[in-house]
Amino acid sequence: MIYDVFQKIIMQKVQSKLGEDYLLSILKIPKNNGMVLSGLCVRKKGDSISPTVYLESYYQRFQEGESTDTLAADIVRLCTECRGSCPITPDLLDDFSRLRDRVAMRLIHTRSNEVLLQDTPSIPWLDLSIVFYLLLDRTPSGTMTVLIRSQHMELWHTDTEELHRLAAANTPRLLPPRLESMTQVLKDCGASLGFLAPENSFLKEEAGDSGSSQPSPASEPHDPTPLYVLTNSSGVDGACAMLYPDVLKNFAAYLKKDLIILPSSVHEVLLVPDQSCLSANQLTNMILQAN
């Protein structure tokens, strides 16, 4: 069964299970780096907020042998749970005064997101773009976010400059930076399996009004591989942590070296102390191996 036919069958079966009180539609949603995902929008009549379920993973499950009835039932369960536990009231997205402290920012690649950026407020930063979103809820199973689009700015009577000012203040508070050696990251992975003990991080959590943390010498840098991972507390969209005030500056001062920033993904960047023994080819190979 091809993907387009699968989407229509799933939508019909979900509609049958939910009944006439719900309106269903298939949306093509642009995501990071030019990716376009198919989302099943499930809206109950009278609601202004509706969940959208991406269908790519369900199609994969169908190809692995699960029936469309089982998948449709799973989508209905997910939407019902989402609607019952959603912390967002229908009028919340209309009231910017209640959203100002939830505006955050992330970095995306500009050239790979030209279509997305056409309708999204952004600020150029090198070959990247700063875009803004609402961090509405965080649970152990994930986060609820809304990408801020041009129509939101019109609704809220705001502009890109105000969004940037709010996000620059909020993001370090909502998602504090996390900086660890690559060896530490690998040890943490092993510790989760129960056979390696983690070391201290290079970032100490300090209580304060801002909620952010700054690099401090919690332990002397003795890693034979001078490679560090900078992200945020959630590990999602953590490359933006290099925009936080003084994070790179303080860590460079701690190491007493300049830093080379290696792009890894939107979720983290790799930091290497500048050493004359590292050539451009070696750094390129390091990026390829890390990715």
Side-chain angles (χ1 to χ4, degrees):
M1 185 188 300
I2 63 174
Y3 188 39
D4 287 346
V5 174
F6 170 81
Q7 294 177 59
K8 293 177 182 178
I9 291 176
I10 287 294
M11 183 170 67
Q12 292 170 357
K13 294 199 171 186
V14 172
Q15 181 76 74
S16 175
K17 292 177 182 296
L18 289 174
E20 296 181 355
D21 287 340
Y22 286 81
L23 301 174
L24 275 64
S25 58
I26 300 291
L27 307 176
K28 298 297 183 183
I29 303 173
K31 305 297 284 187
N32 190 46
N33 290 346
M35 180 182 295
V36 178
L37 298 182
S38 298
L40 177 61
C41 179
V42 181
R43 183 170 71 86
K44 188 171 184 179
K45 293 179 181 179
D47 286 359
S48 59
I49 298 175
S50 56
T52 298
V53 180
Y54 296 116
L55 296 176
E56 281 74 10
S57 63
Y58 289 92
Y59 185 55
Q60 178 66 35
R61 289 167 57 182
F62 170 75
Q63 291 178 313
E64 293 172 354
E66 292 193 53
S67 69
T68 53
D69 286 330
T70 298
L71 297 174
D74 193 28
I75 292 173
V76 169
R77 177 193 56 78
L78 180 65
C79 292
T80 303
E81 290 178 356
C82 177
R83 192 169 185 273
S85 62
C86 180
I88 311 306
T89 57
D91 62 335
L92 177 62
L93 294 181
D94 296 334
D95 187 356
F96 191 50
S97 65
R98 299 165 60 189
L99 299 170
R100 296 171 66 88
D101 61 351
R102 306 187 193 209
V103 176
M105 60 184 177
R106 59 166 67 107
L107 282 170
I108 62 175
H109 188 241
T110 301
R111 190 174 61 186
S112 302
N113 291 280
E114 292 178 349
V115 175
L116 179 69
L117 290 170
Q118 289 176 3
D119 189 39
T120 304
S122 63
I123 294 178
W125 193 80
L126 301 178
D127 64 338
L128 306 174
S129 292
I130 302 170
V131 296
F132 309 99
Y133 65 99
L134 299 175
L135 182 56
L136 297 176
D137 192 30
R138 295 178 65 188
T139 67
S141 60
T143 59
M144 180 181 295
T145 64
V146 174
L147 179 65
I148 295 177
R149 303 279 193 159
S150 298
Q151 61 262 35
H152 293 123
M153 288 201 304
E154 295 175 7
L155 174 66
W156 300 333
H157 304 292
T158 186
D159 54 29
T160 303
E161 289 71 22
E162 183 178 25
L163 292 176
H164 186 219
R165 180 177 58 80
L166 293 172
N170 292 338
T171 313
R173 172 180 56 83
L174 297 170
L175 299 166
R178 188 173 79 233
L179 176 59
E180 297 174 311
S181 70
M182 180 62 80
T183 298
Q184 172 66 32
V185 171
L186 296 176
K187 284 189 175 183
D188 284 344
C189 291
S192 67
L193 299 177
F195 59 84
L196 287 175
E199 299 173 352
N200 291 329
S201 168
F202 285 96
L203 282 176
K204 274 198 223 173
E205 293 293 332
E206 297 178 357
D209 292 339
S210 67
S212 65
S213 54
Q214 299 293 343
S216 62
S219 61
E220 289 300 318
H222 57 274
D223 196 323
T225 303
L227 185 63
Y228 305 92
V229 180
L230 175 63
T231 183
N232 60 28
S233 57
S234 74
V236 177
D237 294 318
C240 189
M242 63 179 168
L243 302 181
Y244 294 179
D246 296 330
V247 167
L248 295 177
K249 175 184 175 182
N250 289 355
F251 189 55
Y254 168 53
L255 295 178
K256 297 182 174 61
K257 291 183 182 292
D258 289 335
L259 297 174
I260 298 171
I261 304 173
L262 305 180
S264 179
S265 77
V266 295
H267 304 303
E268 72 277 318
V269 294
L270 306 180
L271 306 180
V272 182
D274 188 9
Q275 303 182 59
S276 58
C277 61
L278 291 173
S279 67
N281 285 337
Q282 287 174 312
L283 292 173
T284 299
N285 288 333
M286 193 177 296
I287 295 172
L288 294 174
Q289 291 171 8
N291 284 335

